[in-house]
Amino acid sequence: MPPDRLRSIVPMFGGGSQYVETLDAILAVVDNYQPTTDELVGWHRGTFQNVSSQESIMRRVRYLENVGFLHKPDDNWQLDALGREYVDNQDTATLLRIMCDRNVGLRSLLYALSAAPMTLAEISTQQLNTHPELGWNPEQTDMAKQRVNWLRSMGLIEQSGDQYALTGEGRQFVVDAVEQWAGTYDPDPEADYQVGTYETTTQARVVDPEFRATVLTRHDHECPISGVDHPELLDVAHVLSWSEYPEHRADMANVLPLSKTHHAAFDRNLFTLDEEYHLRVSPEFETDSQLLQQTIIEQAGEQIQLGEERIDPEYLTQHNSTLAWV
C-alpha cells in the first residue's frame, strides 16, 4: 500500500521557475554537510534575500521531508531514500516520478493541458473537479500556481501571457504516462473498486488512474450514450484504438467515458458516431435488451451531446473508414 499522497504542494524560495534549482541546492547542502535544523535555517537565510522566518523555512523543509527527500533521524538532516535516488540520478524523469507519486493531481494537470492551454483559474477548477479531496478555496489560485511552478521549473509547462501550456517534453511525458502509470492506485479515496484489466466481450485497457479521472471529469462523469454515471461502471474508450495508434493513447480528443457495456459494443463495431456526433448503428445489430434498444437502436441518427469536450471529427472519420456499413 503506497503512503498517503500529499494534497498541499509547497513552493520553494528563489522564484516560480526556480523550484528545482532551489531543491537541488538544498539537497546538495544536506548531502555534503548533514546540517542541524539551526544550520539549515541559517543557510536559507544566507542564500535567499528577504527570507528570515524560521516558520516559513521549516514549512518548506517539512514538505521535502514528507515527500521523502529529507529525514532527520537524530540531530542532523540527511537525505532520505528518494532524496538519495534523485541526487544520484539528477534527471527530470526521476524527479517527476517522485513528485507525481507523492502529490495528488500533478499528472491529471498535465493530461488536461494536453488538450489545450489553461489559465490559473481554469487549472484550479480542473484540479478541484478531478480531485475534490484537495479541498482548497475555489476562488483562490495560489495552490494551482504552486503546482504550475513545480512543473514549469521541470521544463514541462511554459507560460504565455495568462495561459499555461505543455512544452515538448511535457507532451512526451503525457504520451508515456498513460501506460507507464497504469494500475498504480485509485485516485478516489472513497471508491472501493480495483483498477485493473477485466474481461467483458472486449478487453478494457489499464490506464493511469489520473488519466481516467481526468477523462471522467471532462465529461461530467457520465456516459454520453447511455447516461450511466456510476464510476465503477464507466470505462475510458478510445476512438482510434489503443493498440494501433499508440501516439493517441493519451489524446483527450480521442477518448470518452462509456459504460462497460457500451464500450464493448463500440469496440465490437456495433455502433459509432459520425463526424457530427450522430449515432450510427450497425444494421446487423439485433438485441432483445430493453437497455440496448433504448440507448443504441432507438437513438440511431440522433446527435449525441458531448458538450465542449468533443472528440476530434477527423478521428471519427478515420475510425469509421474501417467499418463497411458506415
Side-chain angles (χ1 to χ4, degrees):
M1 179 69 66
D4 290 341
R5 302 172 74 212
L6 304 173
R7 301 179 186 184
S8 295
I9 295 181
V10 176
M12 295 287 101
F13 296 122
S17 62
Q18 304 298 315
Y19 285 8
V20 172
E21 183 176 324
T22 298
L23 171 66
D24 290 346
I26 294 170
L27 296 183
V29 166
V30 171
D31 191 24
N32 290 328
Y33 301 106
Q34 292 80 53
T36 64
T37 294
D38 287 344
E39 290 169 340
L40 189 54
V41 169
W43 176 84
H44 275 83
R45 288 171 173 165
T47 302
F48 303 102
Q49 292 183 347
N50 304 317
V51 173
S52 59
S53 166
Q54 179 163 336
E55 180 181 355
S56 179
I57 294 168
M58 290 308 299
R59 175 169 170 258
R60 288 156 172 82
V61 172
R62 295 297 183 193
Y63 171 70
L64 298 182
E65 181 181 28
N66 290 333
V67 172
F69 289 123
L70 304 177
H71 72 144
K72 189 171 178 283
D74 44 44
D75 294 332
N76 300 84
W77 287 95
Q78 300 176 20
L79 296 186
D80 208 343
L82 294 179
R84 171 55 60 195
E85 180 185 1
Y86 171 56
V87 166
D88 288 348
N89 287 285
Q90 206 66 37
D91 62 10
T92 299
T94 299
L95 176 58
L96 182 59
R97 176 180 55 76
I98 292 169
M99 291 296 290
C100 285
D101 191 50
R102 293 295 296 120
N103 295 278
V104 174
L106 285 181
R107 292 201 313 283
S108 75
L109 173 53
L110 291 170
Y111 290 131
L113 286 171
S114 72
M118 301 167 69
T119 65
L120 280 179
E122 291 168 338
I123 288 170
S124 182
T125 298
Q126 182 274 331
Q127 289 282 277
L128 287 171
N129 287 347
T130 308
H131 308 281
E133 68 271 24
L134 291 172
W136 68 61
N137 186 337
E139 297 181 0
Q140 297 180 356
T141 59
D142 288 351
M143 296 300 291
K145 187 172 184 179
Q146 290 163 15
R147 283 165 159 70
V148 164
N149 285 343
W150 270 104
L151 295 172
R152 281 179 64 206
S153 67
M154 285 185 257
L156 303 173
I157 288 178
E158 58 189 357
Q159 182 179 3
S160 178
D162 65 348
Q163 298 276 321
Y164 295 87
L166 293 186
T167 63
E169 189 174 355
R171 289 196 175 278
Q172 187 57 54
F173 168 81
V174 165
V175 170
D176 296 337
V178 67
E179 183 174 17
Q180 176 184 344
W181 290 84
T184 49
Y185 44 77
D186 193 324
D188 182 356
E190 300 299 324
D192 59 4
Y193 58 92
Q194 297 296 314
V195 176
T197 302
Y198 53 86
E199 294 288 340
T200 56
T201 55
T202 188
Q203 186 183 69
R205 295 286 181 178
V206 182
V207 298
D208 177 4
E210 286 205 13
F211 179 75
R212 169 188 161 84
T214 306
V215 174
L216 266 59
T217 299
R218 284 168 58 84
H219 292 273
D220 297 324
H221 300 85
E222 182 175 284
C223 169
I225 309 299
S226 66
V228 169
D229 60 359
H230 195 292
E232 296 181 43
L233 302 178
L234 293 174
D235 286 345
V236 173
H238 288 72
V239 175
L240 298 179
S241 73
W242 173 283
S243 59
E244 295 181 17
Y245 299 91
E247 69 275 19
H248 292 298
R249 288 175 179 174
D251 187 341
M252 288 291 168
N254 185 47
V255 293
L256 74 163
L258 293 179
S259 80
K260 294 183 182 297
T261 298
H262 290 76
H263 184 194
F266 180 82
D267 283 356
R268 291 289 186 178
N269 299 326
L270 299 179
F271 76 90
T272 189
L273 300 177
D274 66 20
E275 295 82 352
E276 295 180 347
Y277 312 112
H278 295 100
L279 189 70
R280 303 286 298 276
V281 181
S282 169
E284 298 181 358
F285 181 35
E286 298 180 356
T287 179
D288 292 326
S289 164
Q290 184 177 0
L291 172 66
L292 295 178
Q293 286 277 352
Q294 292 176 343
T295 59
I296 296 181
I297 293 178
E298 292 178 9
Q299 289 196 98
E302 293 187 10
Q303 188 175 52
I304 302 301
Q305 301 303 311
L306 297 180
E308 296 180 0
E309 314 302 345
R310 299 196 170 198
I311 300 298
D312 189 326
E314 293 185 5
Y315 297 165
L316 290 166
T317 298
Q318 192 169 352
H319 169 76
N320 293 341
S321 68
T322 67
L323 305 180
W325 52 268
V326 174

